[in-house]
């Protein structure tokens, strides 16, 4: 089957069905999708072609001498595309010696009449006819096809009936490109403010023309008319308005709370779209009353997207009432200039509104995360490790690798019960008196061959996705939790880095990279390692490896392990201090663990205390990543995968500087060293939360760290701002990150190159590697968004069933960290929650506080100043809230049928909340340890829940999706310390 350009555009989701295999996609059709349907649709097509399970091929017909057809004078692009594809189909039939019938599928009735009987053996039919004749039992495909056809018919009817235009036409592509080149127009990515979606959007500048424009800020797009049918994420072309028409960024908290604009900023209107970002959208049908108001026989329904930033979508269906209680997926087909809203079609039902599985499915779809069970073909590539047929080290690998099993004390440090151990350590004294530090990483690439089925699947997933109550692994559990996992007491393959260090200064003398065989002696959990570090040897009773030893052997082995842990920690302290001298940043996050009961309801939100051993592990990971980055860059300067963290824009630090100034601190942001020193000095001895919030604001101002190919940018751009390292990569977690798999292959190739041996690894070119980096960066953002959204989902579930008026846990201490025109932003340390608290309600009443601090609503007005806001009632009473004031906050849930539920904060007293002594101790203890792990976030910790919750549903998911039950939390530390910056969304419209 050969689909023409229109079929590929309109029916791609049906072509993705696993039953439809062996499709031949013509270059002409693929290019039409790229130019007319945008990046997302084109990437879906490319992924389909790359997926070996579909067995599809791309035929470059325009570069084949017998197939290429020049476009005739006056011939439309559409007619030429259909003619080219039919000509290629005919050639293909003859190329197969007329033995294999070809079916060209098209939606062009004229092409069916013209070519249908022209060549024997080449059949030209409609897509619906193709399904009817070849796939009569594929019910889901038929239903989806009918939905698409119905949507198209109604769009055509609507276009014929409509006379007026709601939006101006987009300028032709050649005009846009010329305008960008001349500087008249500016291109960028549209970002809609989700809290003022109907009013406010911004265009993030990109491209050379943006640099030439002299603009340093985003461009404001005010109102839907100026947005001109562009959707959040589209790459658009903007024309700036005259300066007297510029508007200011809104400083109010919500959608309907007045304008309150800031200083005017560059404002423009969209004149064209270069790349559409259309994807699958989760929507909710309007209520029964709203449906009935559209007419009893109304087929056209305006559905409401879950994402506030997406406009309503018009679809055709007779099932509106039946689907009112469900979240469903729709896909946008078009947005005509004659229509107020885009048109789309129904795809599938996700689940009931409010049901946990339906809400989780919503989060996955909204982040374009598709995780299906690993296929039989992929699992057939996996090694076997059963009781009957245990996996063991091969004699060939014993000859090729350095064997550390008898020479090195290897141990791992992970959360209790963790199964996927991908890093281990060794420290020993050498004969010359120096020390040897070893970091040993699971050798995943030994089991995942380049371009194998499992490699293609891992590349598509790019990362393991961690949600609040579950995870979707990048690799099957036979690898991630078994033969790749560096478990205690078993032989495992590893890729090791071993440094020779000076015995006193710990300066690095030499470094060795290579493949090894290890046998971890101890599988320690973090608390046990910390107890040993602190000198409490009673904890050995909880370490299984000491269980069967006699007293003498037990004491000897304990002394050996104590020395290794203390020396490892001492080395890590030295390495960390050296980085900090160069300007490495310590930024703040919140680590909160969510406790679930047996029914998967949240039992509690518990702040976790960081331990020094956490940072010891993290520092060793950073050291290994840094040295591998230097090695692969030296060997492959134009095709190495590194990770850079660009310096933030100085204007993003303005709020940080102003907030610090309110407390009498000066924050120097001219360099990472100056910023780090300033943050260290900005300590309020009476309130440690002040420094925490300032570091959190610094985190907000940061750019995201990104993967890149070294051939795509200059060496001076390689620098990692947050870690203060000239070169950095990710090497230490190949079980859960595809970037690390690529880096492992590069390292193996570099070692082969040094030995003058043949390079067996199939390395990416700079162009292909840069494209892969874009994909991985995109998937990482999706993973971060889904982590954040699932955490917010569970937070809302925790508070939703509690009465905020009577439940003690709904009352908590909050700290004001930002002032807005109609309210403040508050941080709640107890639960790690940030949110908006209004000082003026929807009835126009303002907050008033009695002498005992309790609040009520009264008529009055608000007056905002630089670092405070004053509420004054008509009776003359006034109350002022300053930055960093502690207030008492009531926490409740703002329920929403069409969107996600949100946490609602209400200030009930302008005085601090007097919490129980035990909670106060826990909170203070957490904050006073700010010199330890700074960037451990609640989303990371929540991913441990899979190993803590014993729920049958989850057990079934493990079997179905081949997921492992545990994870090593602090294998993520280097990424967190690497400023992954999980607060990826502008949560409060700032």
């Amino acid at each position: 089957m050969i689909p023409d350009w229109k079929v590929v555009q309109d029916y791609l989701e049906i072509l993705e069905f696993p039953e439809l295999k062996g499709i031949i996609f013509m270059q002409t059709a693929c290019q039409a999708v790229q130019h007319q349907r945008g990046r997302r649709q084109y990437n879906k097509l490319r992924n389909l072609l790359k997926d070996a399970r579909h067995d599809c091929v791309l035929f470059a017909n325009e570069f084949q001498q017998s197939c290429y057809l020049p476009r005739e004078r006056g011939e439309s692009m559409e007619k030429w595309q259909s003619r080219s594809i039919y000509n290629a189909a005919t050639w293909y039939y003859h190329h197969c010696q007329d033995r294999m019938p070809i079916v060209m599928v098209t939606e062009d009735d004229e092409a069916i009449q013209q070519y249908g009987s022209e060549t024997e053996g080449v059949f030209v039919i409609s897509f619906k006819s193709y399904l009817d004749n070849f796939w009569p039992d594929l019910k889901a495909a038929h239903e989806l096809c009918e939905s698409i056809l119905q949507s198209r018919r109604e769009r055509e009817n609507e276009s014929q009936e409509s006379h007026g235009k709601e939006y101006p036409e987009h300028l032709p592509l050649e005009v846009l490109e010329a305008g960008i080149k001349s500087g008249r127009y500016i291109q960028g990515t549209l970002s809609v403010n989700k809290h003022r979606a109907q009013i406010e959007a911004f265009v993030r500048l990109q491209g050379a023309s943006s640099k030439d424009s002299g603009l340093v800020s985003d461009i404001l797009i005010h109102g839907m008319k100026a947005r001109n049918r562009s959707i959040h994420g589209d790459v658009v072309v903007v024309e700036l308005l005259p300066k007297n028409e510029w508007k200011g960024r809104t400083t109010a908290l919500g959608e309907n709370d007045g304008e309150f604009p800031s200083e005017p900023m560059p404002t423009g209107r969209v004149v064209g779209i270069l790349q559409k970002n259309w994807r699958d959208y989760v929507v909710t049908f309007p209520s029964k009353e709203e449906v009935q108001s559209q007419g009893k026989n109304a087929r056209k329904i305006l559905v409401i997207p879950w994402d506030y930033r997406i406009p309503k979508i018009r679809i055709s269906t007779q099932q509106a009432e039946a689907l009112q209680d469900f979240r469903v997926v729709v896909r946008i087909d078009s947005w005509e200039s004659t229509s107020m809203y885009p048109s789309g079609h129904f795809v599938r039902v996700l689940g009931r509104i409010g049901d946990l599985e339906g809400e989780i499915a919503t989060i996955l779809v909204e982040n374009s995360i598709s995780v299906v069970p690993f296929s039989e073909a992929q699992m057939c590539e996996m090694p076997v490790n059963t009781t009957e047929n245990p996996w063991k080290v091969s004699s060939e690998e014993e000859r090729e690798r350095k064997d550390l099993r008898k020479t090195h004390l290897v141990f791992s440090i992970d959360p209790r019960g963790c199964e996927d151990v991908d890093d281990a350590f060794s420290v020993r004294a050498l004969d010359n008196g120096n020390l040897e530090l070893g970091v040993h990483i699971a050798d995943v690439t030994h089991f995942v061959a380049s371009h194998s089925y499992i490699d293609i699947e891992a590349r598509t997933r790019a990362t393991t996705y961690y949600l609040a109550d579950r995870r979707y692994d990048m690799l099957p559990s036979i690898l991630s939790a078994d033969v790749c996992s560096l478990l205690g007491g078993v032989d495992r393959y590893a890729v090791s880095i071993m440094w020779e260090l000076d015995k006193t200064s710990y300066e690095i003398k030499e470094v060795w990279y290579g493949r090894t065989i290890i046998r971890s002696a101890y599988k320690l959990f973090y608390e046990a390692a910390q107890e040993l570090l602190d000198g409490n040897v009673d904890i050995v009773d909880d370490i299984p490896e000491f269980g069967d030893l006699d007293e003498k052997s037990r004491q000897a082995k304990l002394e050996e392990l104590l020395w290794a842990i203390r020396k490892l920690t001492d080395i890590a302290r030295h390495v960390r201090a050296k980085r900090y001298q160069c300007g490495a940043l310590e930024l703040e996050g919140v680590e909160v663990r969510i406790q679930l009961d047996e029914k998967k309801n949240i039992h509690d939100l518990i702040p976790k205390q960081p331990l020094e051993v956490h940072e010891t592990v993290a520092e060793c990971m950073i050291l290994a990543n840094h040295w591998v980055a230097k090695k692969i860059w030296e060997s492959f300067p134009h095709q190495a995968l590194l990770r850079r963290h660009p310096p933030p824009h100085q204007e993003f630090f303005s709020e940080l500087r102003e907030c610090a100034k309110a407390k009498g601190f000066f924050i120097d942001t001219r360099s990472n060293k100056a910023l780090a020193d300033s943050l260290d000095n900005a300590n309020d001895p009476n309130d440690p939360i002040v420094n925490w919030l300032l570091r959190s604001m610094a985190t907000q101002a940061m750019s995201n760290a990104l993967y890149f190919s070294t051939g795509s940018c200059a060496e001076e751009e390689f620098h990692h701002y947050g870690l203060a390292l000239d070169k950095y990569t990710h090497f230490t977690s190949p079980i859960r990150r595809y970037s690390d798999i690529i880096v492992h292959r590069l390292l193996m190739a570099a070692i082969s190159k040094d030995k003058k041996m043949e390079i067996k690894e199939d390395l990416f070119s700079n162009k292909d590697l840069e494209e892969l980096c874009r994909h991985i960066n995109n998937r990482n953002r999706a993973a971060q968004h889904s982590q954040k959204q699932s955490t917010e989902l569970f937070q809302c579930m925790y508070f939703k069933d509690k009465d905020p008026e009577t439940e003690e846990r709904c009352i908590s201490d909050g700290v004001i960290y930002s002032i807005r025109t109609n309210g403040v932003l508050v941080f709640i340390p107890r639960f790690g929650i940030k949110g908006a608290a209004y000082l003026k309600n929807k009835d126009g009443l303002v907050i008033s506080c009695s002498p005992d601090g309790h609040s009520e609503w009264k008529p009055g007005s608000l007056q905002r100043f630089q670092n405070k806001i004053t509420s004054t009632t008509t009776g003359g009473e006034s109350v002022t809230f300053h930055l960093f004031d502690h207030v008492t906050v009531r926490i409740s849930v703002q329920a929403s049928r069409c969107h996600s539920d949100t946490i609602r904060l209400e200030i009930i007293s302008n005085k601090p909340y007097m919490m129980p002594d035990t909670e106060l101790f826990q909170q203070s203890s957490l904050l006073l340890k700010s010199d330890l792990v700074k960037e451990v976030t609640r989303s990371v910790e929540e991913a441990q829940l899979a190993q803590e919750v014993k729920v049958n549903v989850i057990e079934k998911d493990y079997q179905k999706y081949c997921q492992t039950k545990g994870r090593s939390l602090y294998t993520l530390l280097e990424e967190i310390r690497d400023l992954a910056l999980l607060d990826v969304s502008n949560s409060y419209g700032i």
Side-chain angles (χ1 to χ4, degrees):
M1 191 263 272
I2 298 177
D4 84 340
W5 62 277
K6 186 69 173 171
V7 169
V8 178
Q9 281 189 16
D10 291 351
Y11 297 100
L12 182 58
E13 60 215 276
I14 299 179
L15 300 179
E16 292 173 327
F17 275 43
E19 292 84 356
L20 274 62
K21 297 181 180 180
I23 300 171
I24 301 170
F25 289 94
M26 294 295 170
Q27 173 193 359
T28 302
C30 295
Q31 288 179 341
V33 172
Q34 182 182 16
H35 295 145
Q36 297 179 37
R37 283 302 171 98
R39 181 180 67 251
R40 280 186 181 272
Q41 189 85 341
Y42 182 60
N43 285 340
K44 287 172 74 72
L45 173 58
R46 295 186 64 192
N47 290 335
L48 175 61
L49 282 162
K50 291 177 181 178
D51 192 336
R53 292 171 295 182
H54 288 276
D55 200 25
C56 298
V57 294
L58 170 68
F59 180 51
N61 60 298
E62 293 182 25
F63 294 112
Q64 212 281 343
Q65 186 174 13
S66 302
C67 294
Y68 173 72
L69 290 177
R71 187 175 168 189
E72 296 177 351
R73 184 186 295 271
E75 185 178 27
S76 70
M77 177 64 74
E78 292 79 6
K79 294 300 179 187
W80 172 77
Q81 289 169 335
S82 296
R83 187 164 64 92
S84 294
I85 292 172
Y86 174 75
N87 185 62
T90 303
W91 178 88
Y92 211 94
Y93 173 68
H94 294 314
H95 174 71
C96 296
Q97 300 180 348
D98 299 355
R99 295 180 180 177
M100 177 64 70
I102 298 292
V103 178
M104 175 181 165
V105 183
T106 180
E107 292 300 283
D108 185 344
D109 292 336
E110 292 184 15
I112 294 173
Q113 291 182 358
Q114 182 177 351
Y115 304 125
S117 57
E118 186 172 297
T119 305
E120 185 178 357
V122 179
F123 303 94
V124 182
I125 60 176
S126 71
F127 189 68
K128 189 175 187 306
S129 298
Y130 171 75
L131 290 178
D132 291 341
N133 287 281
F134 292 90
W135 300 99
D137 298 327
L138 200 56
K139 184 179 178 182
H142 285 272
E143 291 176 351
L144 194 50
C145 179
E146 185 56 39
S147 174
I148 295 169
L149 286 171
Q150 181 63 32
S151 175
R152 183 192 300 163
R153 285 192 291 266
E154 299 208 355
R155 286 201 312 273
E156 291 171 354
N157 292 338
E158 187 178 274
S159 179
Q160 293 171 3
E161 295 169 3
S162 179
H163 301 290
K165 288 187 180 293
E166 298 288 348
Y167 298 97
E169 293 290 348
H170 294 144
L171 297 178
L173 180 60
E174 54 269 23
V175 175
L176 297 176
E177 290 175 342
I180 293 169
K181 191 173 182 180
S182 68
R184 178 180 178 182
Y185 303 137
I186 300 169
Q187 78 175 70
T189 303
L190 188 77
S191 178
V192 177
N193 180 350
K194 72 175 183 179
H195 294 280
R196 305 184 69 81
Q198 299 298 313
I199 302 171
E200 205 169 69
F202 301 91
V203 170
R204 304 275 161 83
L205 306 183
Q206 67 179 53
S209 64
S210 305
K211 297 177 183 177
D212 299 337
S213 67
L215 295 173
V216 295
S217 69
D218 298 338
I219 299 172
L220 172 65
I221 309 296
H222 188 81
M224 292 294 292
K225 200 81 173 178
R227 220 175 288 175
N228 195 5
R229 294 175 286 148
S230 56
I231 292 175
H232 176 80
D234 285 354
V235 178
V236 298
V237 179
V238 175
E239 180 181 43
L240 284 177
L241 299 176
K243 280 196 173 184
N244 62 353
E245 297 182 31
W246 286 10
K247 298 181 181 294
R249 184 189 298 258
T250 303
T251 58
L253 286 173
E255 179 82 52
N256 302 312
D257 300 302
E259 291 295 311
F260 301 107
S262 61
E263 290 295 315
M265 64 182 294
T267 306
R269 63 185 184 93
V270 174
V271 295
I273 302 175
L274 294 180
Q275 284 186 340
K276 294 184 176 74
N277 194 42
W278 296 356
R279 56 174 173 81
D280 288 351
Y281 298 101
V282 179
V283 302
T284 306
F285 281 84
S287 66
K288 186 175 182 179
E289 293 74 20
E290 291 173 314
V291 171
Q292 290 175 345
S293 70
Q294 298 183 33
K296 290 185 178 180
N297 300 316
R299 288 181 57 91
K300 299 177 185 176
I301 303 294
L302 281 175
V303 293
I304 304 152
W306 185 83
D307 188 341
Y308 284 95
R309 300 168 298 183
I310 307 302
K312 294 178 181 178
I313 302 169
R314 180 180 283 113
I315 68 169
S316 298
T317 181
Q318 293 179 328
Q319 305 297 317
E321 289 192 23
L323 294 173
Q324 277 183 29
D325 297 329
F326 293 87
R327 300 222 188 273
V328 301
V329 179
V330 303
R331 184 171 293 180
I332 294 178
D333 298 315
S334 67
W335 194 347
E336 306 298 335
S337 60
T338 55
S339 175
M340 278 287 291
Y341 302 101
S343 298
H345 64 271
F346 170 88
V347 177
R348 68 183 187 276
V349 176
L350 283 184
R352 285 190 176 275
I353 296 171
D355 177 69
L356 176 62
E357 294 306 314
E359 297 301 319
I360 290 292
T362 294
I363 291 172
L364 295 177
V365 170
E366 281 296 316
N367 290 284
S368 300
I369 296 174
S370 175
V371 184
V372 296
F374 292 103
S375 70
E376 184 179 349
Q378 292 159 0
M379 297 305 294
C380 284
E381 296 176 341
M382 296 296 95
V384 175
N385 188 23
T386 62
T387 307
E388 300 77 21
N389 188 15
W391 179 88
K392 58 185 178 180
V393 172
S394 72
S395 56
E396 181 183 353
E397 291 297 325
E398 282 186 321
R399 291 192 298 269
E400 295 290 331
R401 295 171 181 264
K402 179 176 285 192
D403 195 338
L404 309 181
R405 288 175 288 185
K406 297 180 180 179
T407 57
H408 290 64
L409 174 67
V410 178
F411 58 94
S412 61
I413 307 175
D414 289 284
R416 190 191 295 265
C418 178
E419 293 179 349
D420 55 338
V421 181
D422 53 8
D423 55 79
F425 312 95
S426 64
V427 186
R428 66 171 185 160
L430 300 176
D431 293 340
N432 61 6
N434 287 336
L435 295 172
E436 181 191 78
L437 168 65
V439 171
H440 314 281
I441 306 300
D443 189 0
V444 173
T445 56
H446 173 80
F447 301 97
V448 179
S450 182
H451 304 304
S452 62
Y453 287 124
I454 198 63
D455 182 55
I456 293 169
E457 180 65 26
R459 189 188 312 165
T460 301
R461 298 188 184 202
T463 183
T464 292
Y465 297 99
Y466 298 99
L467 304 186
D469 67 329
R470 67 194 71 190
R471 60 188 265 172
Y472 298 105
D473 282 344
M474 184 182 76
L475 295 171
S477 59
I478 183 63
L479 294 183
S480 60
D482 196 351
V483 295
C484 284
S485 183
L486 307 183
L487 303 170
V490 293
D491 297 342
R492 288 292 181 259
Y493 295 149
V495 178
S496 302
I497 311 176
M498 293 186 283
W499 299 269
E500 182 179 338
L501 310 174
D502 184 271
K503 61 182 177 182
T504 53
S505 68
Y506 299 142
E507 292 299 316
I508 295 173
K509 300 291 186 182
E510 289 184 21
V511 61
W512 179 89
Y513 308 86
R515 279 184 153 138
T516 58
I517 303 173
I518 67 169
R519 182 184 296 145
S520 177
Y522 302 99
K523 182 175 177 289
L524 302 176
F525 55 95
Y526 279 104
E527 292 77 11
Q530 186 65 49
E531 291 289 343
L532 292 174
L533 184 62
D534 295 340
N536 180 13
V537 296
D538 293 338
I539 194 70
V540 297
D541 294 333
D542 293 338
I543 301 175
E545 289 85 354
F546 285 98
D548 298 329
L549 300 176
D550 60 68
E551 187 60 33
K552 185 177 179 181
S553 300
R554 181 187 179 107
Q555 190 60 36
K557 286 186 175 293
L558 177 59
E559 290 296 328
E560 184 185 37
L561 179 60
L562 283 171
W563 180 88
I565 292 176
R566 288 167 181 165
K567 191 59 69 174
L568 182 73
T569 303
D570 207 28
I571 294 169
R573 287 171 183 159
H574 170 83
V575 174
R576 183 164 59 251
K578 193 171 182 181
R579 277 198 311 111
Y580 287 169
Q581 289 173 4
C582 297
L585 295 172
E586 290 188 82
L587 299 177
E588 274 299 355
V590 183
E591 184 186 7
V592 176
R593 182 166 60 88
I594 297 180
Q595 267 189 0
L596 300 184
D597 61 23
E598 292 184 356
K599 295 181 180 178
K600 294 182 72 175
N601 297 318
I602 295 187
H603 175 67
D604 200 0
L605 302 174
I606 304 173
K608 293 283 287 183
Q609 293 188 25
L611 306 172
E612 185 180 10
V613 71
H614 294 155
E615 210 167 70
T616 296
V617 172
E619 202 60 48
C620 291
M621 299 298 102
I622 293 171
L623 182 68
N625 288 331
H626 173 53
W627 277 84
V628 169
K630 292 198 296 184
K631 179 66 177 176
I632 62 176
W633 174 76
E634 289 167 359
S635 299
F636 306 104
H638 302 298
Q639 57 187 116
L641 187 151
L642 300 188
R643 188 165 174 84
R644 64 189 177 95
H645 182 225
H649 296 290
Q650 286 299 307
E651 62 268 21
F652 294 166
F653 284 122
S654 57
E655 185 172 21
L656 169 65
R657 288 191 290 260
E658 290 300 325
C659 288
K661 187 177 178 182
K663 275 288 184 179
F665 301 125
F666 171 72
I667 303 294
D668 187 349
T669 61
R670 289 175 296 177
S671 69
N672 55 355
K673 181 72 169 69
L675 176 59
D677 291 342
S678 298
L679 290 171
D680 287 341
N681 294 327
N683 275 306
D684 184 341
N686 299 318
D687 191 358
I689 291 181
V690 170
N691 186 263
W692 187 96
L693 284 170
L694 291 175
R695 292 183 186 275
S696 180
M697 290 179 191
T699 302
Q700 296 266 3
M702 296 294 166
S703 308
N704 282 319
L706 298 168
Y707 298 109
F708 71 102
S709 172
T710 50
S712 63
C713 60
E715 187 178 350
E716 56 267 22
E717 297 178 22
F718 292 5
H719 186 76
H720 198 293
Y721 180 86
L723 294 176
L725 295 172
D726 59 340
K727 293 176 185 69
Y728 191 69
T729 192
H730 275 162
F731 158 78
T732 52
S733 296
I735 285 176
R736 65 178 186 84
R737 290 189 304 229
Y738 192 74
S739 57
D740 300 50
I741 289 179
I742 297 297
V743 170
H744 275 237
R745 289 173 181 158
L746 283 163
L747 180 60
M748 292 303 103
I751 293 170
S752 298
K753 190 176 181 181
D754 289 346
K755 294 179 179 179
K756 304 286 193 295
M757 296 170 60
E758 178 188 358
I759 297 177
K760 298 179 181 179
E761 287 73 19
D762 186 10
L763 303 182
F764 285 93
S765 66
N766 172 59
K767 181 180 177 182
D768 291 341
L769 184 58
E770 186 60 24
E771 182 182 332
L772 177 61
C773 287
R774 280 195 293 269
H775 167 68
I776 296 175
N777 290 332
N778 174 275
R779 292 296 82 206
N780 279 351
R781 282 191 293 270
Q784 291 167 3
H785 278 288
S786 59
Q787 279 182 350
K788 186 174 184 294
Q789 289 165 351
S790 68
T791 299
E792 291 168 350
L793 169 65
F794 273 79
Q795 283 178 336
C796 288
M797 289 171 60
Y798 174 67
F799 289 105
K800 195 167 187 177
D801 296 331
K802 293 176 172 56
D803 185 351
E805 299 293 334
T806 60
E807 178 67 45
E808 184 178 342
R809 290 193 178 187
C810 292
I811 309 298
S812 188
D813 188 61
V815 185
I816 296 171
Y817 70 92
S818 187
I819 306 293
R820 292 293 182 263
T821 51
N822 59 340
V824 294
L825 299 183
V826 178
F827 169 63
I828 302 175
R830 171 66 178 87
F831 300 112
I833 291 173
K834 290 181 178 179
Y838 288 87
L839 302 183
K840 188 174 186 178
N841 66 18
K842 293 182 178 180
D843 298 325
L845 305 178
V846 299
I847 195 168
S848 172
C849 294
S850 60
D852 63 357
H854 287 85
S855 66
E856 57 181 315
W857 298 102
K858 293 183 178 180
S861 61
L862 296 176
Q863 189 174 9
R864 179 192 179 193
F865 302 93
Q866 184 76 53
N867 300 312
K868 62 182 180 180
I869 185 169
T870 298
S871 173
T872 306
T873 68
T874 53
E877 304 165 353
S878 68
V879 59
T880 299
F881 297 90
H882 298 81
L883 277 174
F884 303 113
D885 276 357
H886 284 251
V887 293
T888 301
V889 177
R890 177 185 288 124
I891 306 168
S892 59
V893 175
Q894 183 75 46
S896 174
R897 180 174 166 272
C898 299
H899 310 285
S900 60
D901 293 344
T902 54
I903 293 292
R904 180 173 175 266
L905 304 181
E906 180 185 0
I907 296 175
I908 60 174
S909 172
N910 64 342
K911 298 184 183 301
Y913 173 63
M914 301 307 294
M915 64 185 71
D917 292 340
T918 53
E919 288 191 20
L920 181 63
F921 171 78
Q922 289 178 354
Q923 180 174 310
S924 300
S925 177
L926 172 68
L927 293 166
L928 290 173
K929 286 183 175 288
S930 60
D931 59 327
L932 297 177
V933 181
K934 299 295 184 181
E935 196 58 26
V936 182
T937 64
R938 64 177 184 269
S939 297
V940 176
E941 175 62 28
E942 288 157 8
Q944 287 185 96
L945 293 173
Q947 69 188 32
E948 299 173 2
V949 184
K950 306 298 183 182
V951 182
N952 290 334
V953 175
I954 300 299
E955 294 295 335
K956 291 176 182 176
D957 283 345
Y958 291 138
Q959 295 172 11
K960 179 179 179 182
Y961 292 101
C962 304
Q963 307 301 304
T964 55
K965 298 182 183 179
R967 61 177 294 239
S968 171
L969 168 62
Y970 287 96
T971 55
L972 298 184
L973 272 172
E974 76 276 16
E975 179 174 308
I976 299 164
R977 297 288 304 218
D978 186 24
L979 303 179
L981 307 182
L982 294 185
D983 197 1
V984 291
S985 67
N986 201 354
S987 300
Y988 310 109
I990 300 173

